[in-house]
Amino acid sequence: MSERTKKIFLGLCIIVPFLIYCVYYYSAMVKNAPYRFSDFESIEITYGFPDSMLNHYDSKTMQYDYLTKENALVKDTLKLRNDDLLFLHRKAQELGFWNLPDEMLGDPNTRKPGLRVPRYKLTYNYKEKSKTVTFEPDFSGPTKMVEAGQSTIDEVVRMLATAKAR
């Protein structure tokens, strides 16, 4: 065998099986991903103070209930576009929403007396599973975890405001 034939043979024996394995492995991972946008059904967010969580949005029913600055409850219909939902799904993936614990609540014993802390309950619903996180901004967990929860909720609220402004 010539030197060139040996290099081609070595390349075929090592590189080609590696590429086939990579395609097989990653295609199975993508196909079995726990939260895929193709299985996405809806987003629900409820927020307010723990004793009165009156602000609520459900993308499936398009029902949006919120309090105005004058404490009047407004019931409205708000449709998020498919692009908006895809953006929120990808943002949740990017920020690691799926890895957050279900409850991220602050300790009421360490709060200043009379201080009211808002509470958010965010749910992403898929065909076979859903992920719900209850979050309070004074949660004393790891900083990255708190930032991921807060950023995901901020993006959903921002998207609702953008859709409302259209």
PDB file of all heavy atoms in Angstrom, residues 19-35:
ATOM      1  N   LEU A  19     -18.261  10.314  12.772  1.00  0.00           N
ATOM      2  CA  LEU A  19     -19.324  11.170  12.253  1.00  0.00           C
ATOM      3  C   LEU A  19     -20.675  10.461  12.292  1.00  0.00           C
ATOM      4  O   LEU A  19     -21.691  11.069  12.657  1.00  0.00           O
ATOM      5  CB  LEU A  19     -18.998  11.622  10.836  1.00  0.00           C
ATOM      6  CG  LEU A  19     -17.828  12.607  10.698  1.00  0.00           C
ATOM      7  CD1 LEU A  19     -17.532  12.887   9.229  1.00  0.00           C
ATOM      8  CD2 LEU A  19     -18.128  13.892  11.432  1.00  0.00           C
ATOM      9  N   ILE A  20     -20.701   9.179  11.937  1.00  0.00           N
ATOM     10  CA  ILE A  20     -21.953   8.415  11.989  1.00  0.00           C
ATOM     11  C   ILE A  20     -22.454   8.338  13.428  1.00  0.00           C
ATOM     12  O   ILE A  20     -23.645   8.522  13.693  1.00  0.00           O
ATOM     13  CB  ILE A  20     -21.752   7.009  11.388  1.00  0.00           C
ATOM     14  CG1 ILE A  20     -21.525   7.130   9.879  1.00  0.00           C
ATOM     15  CG2 ILE A  20     -22.953   6.111  11.685  1.00  0.00           C
ATOM     16  CD1 ILE A  20     -21.102   5.839   9.215  1.00  0.00           C
ATOM     17  N   TYR A  21     -21.557   8.094  14.363  1.00  0.00           N
ATOM     18  CA  TYR A  21     -21.934   8.035  15.775  1.00  0.00           C
ATOM     19  C   TYR A  21     -22.479   9.375  16.254  1.00  0.00           C
ATOM     20  O   TYR A  21     -23.485   9.425  16.960  1.00  0.00           O
ATOM     21  CB  TYR A  21     -20.741   7.621  16.635  1.00  0.00           C
ATOM     22  CG  TYR A  21     -21.016   7.717  18.107  1.00  0.00           C
ATOM     23  CD1 TYR A  21     -21.808   6.765  18.746  1.00  0.00           C
ATOM     24  CD2 TYR A  21     -20.524   8.773  18.864  1.00  0.00           C
ATOM     25  CE1 TYR A  21     -22.086   6.849  20.091  1.00  0.00           C
ATOM     26  CE2 TYR A  21     -20.802   8.880  20.217  1.00  0.00           C
ATOM     27  CZ  TYR A  21     -21.574   7.914  20.824  1.00  0.00           C
ATOM     28  OH  TYR A  21     -21.859   8.008  22.156  1.00  0.00           O
ATOM     29  N   CYS A  22     -21.847  10.465  15.884  1.00  0.00           N
ATOM     30  CA  CYS A  22     -22.311  11.804  16.300  1.00  0.00           C
ATOM     31  C   CYS A  22     -23.713  12.079  15.777  1.00  0.00           C
ATOM     32  O   CYS A  22     -24.581  12.562  16.516  1.00  0.00           O
ATOM     33  CB  CYS A  22     -21.355  12.880  15.805  1.00  0.00           C
ATOM     34  SG  CYS A  22     -19.806  12.937  16.715  1.00  0.00           S
ATOM     35  N   VAL A  23     -23.952  11.781  14.514  1.00  0.00           N
ATOM     36  CA  VAL A  23     -25.276  12.005  13.939  1.00  0.00           C
ATOM     37  C   VAL A  23     -26.310  11.146  14.667  1.00  0.00           C
ATOM     38  O   VAL A  23     -27.390  11.620  15.028  1.00  0.00           O
ATOM     39  CB  VAL A  23     -25.265  11.708  12.422  1.00  0.00           C
ATOM     40  CG1 VAL A  23     -26.674  11.637  11.862  1.00  0.00           C
ATOM     41  CG2 VAL A  23     -24.442  12.754  11.691  1.00  0.00           C
ATOM     42  N   TYR A  24     -25.997   9.892  14.911  1.00  0.00           N
ATOM     43  CA  TYR A  24     -26.929   8.984  15.593  1.00  0.00           C
ATOM     44  C   TYR A  24     -27.200   9.475  17.020  1.00  0.00           C
ATOM     45  O   TYR A  24     -28.342   9.555  17.454  1.00  0.00           O
ATOM     46  CB  TYR A  24     -26.343   7.575  15.620  1.00  0.00           C
ATOM     47  CG  TYR A  24     -27.136   6.610  16.448  1.00  0.00           C
ATOM     48  CD1 TYR A  24     -28.339   6.091  15.978  1.00  0.00           C
ATOM     49  CD2 TYR A  24     -26.700   6.233  17.718  1.00  0.00           C
ATOM     50  CE1 TYR A  24     -29.083   5.209  16.757  1.00  0.00           C
ATOM     51  CE2 TYR A  24     -27.440   5.363  18.498  1.00  0.00           C
ATOM     52  CZ  TYR A  24     -28.623   4.853  18.005  1.00  0.00           C
ATOM     53  OH  TYR A  24     -29.357   3.998  18.775  1.00  0.00           O
ATOM     54  N   TYR A  25     -26.157   9.812  17.754  1.00  0.00           N
ATOM     55  CA  TYR A  25     -26.289  10.213  19.154  1.00  0.00           C
ATOM     56  C   TYR A  25     -27.083  11.503  19.295  1.00  0.00           C
ATOM     57  O   TYR A  25     -28.030  11.587  20.082  1.00  0.00           O
ATOM     58  CB  TYR A  25     -24.896  10.377  19.767  1.00  0.00           C
ATOM     59  CG  TYR A  25     -24.911  10.849  21.200  1.00  0.00           C
ATOM     60  CD1 TYR A  25     -25.195   9.972  22.227  1.00  0.00           C
ATOM     61  CD2 TYR A  25     -24.638  12.182  21.519  1.00  0.00           C
ATOM     62  CE1 TYR A  25     -25.201  10.395  23.546  1.00  0.00           C
ATOM     63  CE2 TYR A  25     -24.644  12.615  22.826  1.00  0.00           C
ATOM     64  CZ  TYR A  25     -24.926  11.719  23.836  1.00  0.00           C
ATOM     65  OH  TYR A  25     -24.943  12.139  25.142  1.00  0.00           O
ATOM     66  N   TYR A  26     -26.712  12.532  18.545  1.00  0.00           N
ATOM     67  CA  TYR A  26     -27.369  13.826  18.704  1.00  0.00           C
ATOM     68  C   TYR A  26     -28.776  13.850  18.114  1.00  0.00           C
ATOM     69  O   TYR A  26     -29.637  14.564  18.598  1.00  0.00           O
ATOM     70  CB  TYR A  26     -26.500  14.952  18.143  1.00  0.00           C
ATOM     71  CG  TYR A  26     -25.316  15.228  19.028  1.00  0.00           C
ATOM     72  CD1 TYR A  26     -24.020  14.923  18.636  1.00  0.00           C
ATOM     73  CD2 TYR A  26     -25.506  15.757  20.300  1.00  0.00           C
ATOM     74  CE1 TYR A  26     -22.945  15.157  19.474  1.00  0.00           C
ATOM     75  CE2 TYR A  26     -24.436  15.991  21.140  1.00  0.00           C
ATOM     76  CZ  TYR A  26     -23.160  15.692  20.730  1.00  0.00           C
ATOM     77  OH  TYR A  26     -22.105  15.912  21.562  1.00  0.00           O
ATOM     78  N   SER A  27     -29.030  13.076  17.079  1.00  0.00           N
ATOM     79  CA  SER A  27     -30.398  13.030  16.557  1.00  0.00           C
ATOM     80  C   SER A  27     -31.328  12.371  17.570  1.00  0.00           C
ATOM     81  O   SER A  27     -32.475  12.798  17.727  1.00  0.00           O
ATOM     82  CB  SER A  27     -30.456  12.291  15.219  1.00  0.00           C
ATOM     83  OG  SER A  27     -30.134  10.923  15.396  1.00  0.00           O
ATOM     84  N   ALA A  28     -30.841  11.358  18.280  1.00  0.00           N
ATOM     85  CA  ALA A  28     -31.652  10.730  19.331  1.00  0.00           C
ATOM     86  C   ALA A  28     -31.881  11.698  20.481  1.00  0.00           C
ATOM     87  O   ALA A  28     -32.978  11.740  21.049  1.00  0.00           O
ATOM     88  CB  ALA A  28     -30.963   9.463  19.834  1.00  0.00           C
ATOM     89  N   MET A  29     -30.881  12.491  20.836  1.00  0.00           N
ATOM     90  CA  MET A  29     -31.037  13.467  21.919  1.00  0.00           C
ATOM     91  C   MET A  29     -32.064  14.536  21.559  1.00  0.00           C
ATOM     92  O   MET A  29     -32.904  14.893  22.372  1.00  0.00           O
ATOM     93  CB  MET A  29     -29.701  14.135  22.251  1.00  0.00           C
ATOM     94  CG  MET A  29     -28.800  13.289  23.098  1.00  0.00           C
ATOM     95  SD  MET A  29     -27.312  14.163  23.561  1.00  0.00           S
ATOM     96  CE  MET A  29     -27.963  15.410  24.623  1.00  0.00           C
ATOM     97  N   VAL A  30     -32.005  15.032  20.346  1.00  0.00           N
ATOM     98  CA  VAL A  30     -32.934  16.071  19.923  1.00  0.00           C
ATOM     99  C   VAL A  30     -34.347  15.505  19.840  1.00  0.00           C
ATOM    100  O   VAL A  30     -35.312  16.143  20.249  1.00  0.00           O
ATOM    101  CB  VAL A  30     -32.489  16.678  18.572  1.00  0.00           C
ATOM    102  CG1 VAL A  30     -33.575  17.544  17.974  1.00  0.00           C
ATOM    103  CG2 VAL A  30     -31.202  17.452  18.748  1.00  0.00           C
ATOM    104  N   LYS A  31     -34.459  14.293  19.339  1.00  0.00           N
ATOM    105  CA  LYS A  31     -35.782  13.672  19.200  1.00  0.00           C
ATOM    106  C   LYS A  31     -36.416  13.396  20.558  1.00  0.00           C
ATOM    107  O   LYS A  31     -37.627  13.517  20.719  1.00  0.00           O
ATOM    108  CB  LYS A  31     -35.650  12.370  18.411  1.00  0.00           C
ATOM    109  CG  LYS A  31     -36.980  11.785  17.984  1.00  0.00           C
ATOM    110  CD  LYS A  31     -36.777  10.660  17.008  1.00  0.00           C
ATOM    111  CE  LYS A  31     -36.627   9.388  17.797  1.00  0.00           C
ATOM    112  NZ  LYS A  31     -36.538   8.215  16.973  1.00  0.00           N
ATOM    113  N   ASN A  32     -35.628  13.058  21.552  1.00  0.00           N
ATOM    114  CA  ASN A  32     -36.140  12.721  22.878  1.00  0.00           C
ATOM    115  C   ASN A  32     -36.015  13.866  23.874  1.00  0.00           C
ATOM    116  O   ASN A  32     -36.119  13.640  25.072  1.00  0.00           O
ATOM    117  CB  ASN A  32     -35.404  11.501  23.425  1.00  0.00           C
ATOM    118  CG  ASN A  32     -35.685  10.271  22.609  1.00  0.00           C
ATOM    119  OD1 ASN A  32     -36.779  10.116  22.089  1.00  0.00           O
ATOM    120  ND2 ASN A  32     -34.699   9.408  22.468  1.00  0.00           N
ATOM    121  N   ALA A  33     -35.799  15.073  23.400  1.00  0.00           N
ATOM    122  CA  ALA A  33     -35.685  16.231  24.299  1.00  0.00           C
ATOM    123  C   ALA A  33     -36.973  16.361  25.108  1.00  0.00           C
ATOM    124  O   ALA A  33     -38.072  16.202  24.574  1.00  0.00           O
ATOM    125  CB  ALA A  33     -35.424  17.486  23.502  1.00  0.00           C
ATOM    126  N   PRO A  34     -36.853  16.655  26.403  1.00  0.00           N
ATOM    127  CA  PRO A  34     -38.046  16.674  27.245  1.00  0.00           C
ATOM    128  C   PRO A  34     -39.007  17.819  26.938  1.00  0.00           C
ATOM    129  O   PRO A  34     -40.212  17.678  27.085  1.00  0.00           O
ATOM    130  CB  PRO A  34     -37.485  16.807  28.654  1.00  0.00           C
ATOM    131  CG  PRO A  34     -36.134  17.382  28.487  1.00  0.00           C
ATOM    132  CD  PRO A  34     -35.644  16.931  27.144  1.00  0.00           C
ATOM    133  N   TYR A  35     -38.508  18.937  26.511  1.00  0.00           N
ATOM    134  CA  TYR A  35     -39.358  20.085  26.244  1.00  0.00           C
ATOM    135  C   TYR A  35     -39.076  20.589  24.833  1.00  0.00           C
ATOM    136  O   TYR A  35     -38.145  21.343  24.610  1.00  0.00           O
ATOM    137  CB  TYR A  35     -39.097  21.196  27.267  1.00  0.00           C
ATOM    138  CG  TYR A  35     -39.396  20.767  28.677  1.00  0.00           C
ATOM    139  CD1 TYR A  35     -38.380  20.387  29.544  1.00  0.00           C
ATOM    140  CD2 TYR A  35     -40.703  20.736  29.144  1.00  0.00           C
ATOM    141  CE1 TYR A  35     -38.660  19.987  30.842  1.00  0.00           C
ATOM    142  CE2 TYR A  35     -40.988  20.343  30.436  1.00  0.00           C
ATOM    143  CZ  TYR A  35     -39.975  19.972  31.280  1.00  0.00           C
ATOM    144  OH  TYR A  35     -40.254  19.574  32.559  1.00  0.00           O
TER     145      TYR A  35
END
